[in-house]
Amino acid sequence: MSRSPGGRRPSDPFKAAEAAFKKATTKPIEEPPKASSIPGVKEAVTLRIDQDVLEYFQQDGPGWQDRINAALRKAAGK
């Protein structure tokens, strides 16, 4: 193996150029903006739950979605 004067290995110009190009063209990773939480605003979602759980919340009639929401808020510690 030949060495350049001074005992250093010669650098590979292709690898050096490739590294410089990658550094110059790589965008920093940006986190997506966090959605602001607006009190009282609800979002429509699709949720798959067991039939017996759904029947439990629907047995008292209208308002079952609010009852599920309240149970989920309690489970989330809110």
Side-chain angles (χ1 to χ4, degrees), residues 12-49:
D12 181 349
F14 180 78
K15 286 185 180 178
E18 193 173 51
F21 179 79
K22 186 175 181 180
K23 183 177 179 184
T25 59
T26 302
K27 291 183 179 181
I29 298 173
E30 296 180 19
E31 291 186 26
K34 293 186 178 183
S36 60
S37 178
I38 302 172
V41 173
K42 297 190 179 189
E43 185 173 343
V45 297
T46 299
L47 178 66
R48 296 177 61 89
I49 57 175

Side-chain angles (χ1 to χ4, degrees), residues 42-70:
K42 297 190 179 189
E43 185 173 343
V45 297
T46 299
L47 178 66
R48 296 177 61 89
I49 57 175
D50 294 332
Q51 184 66 36
D52 61 330
V53 173
L54 181 60
E55 289 170 358
Y56 172 81
F57 284 100
Q58 288 179 331
Q59 70 187 359
D60 291 332
W64 61 271
Q65 291 172 320
D66 292 329
R67 290 189 290 277
I68 289 176
N69 192 56

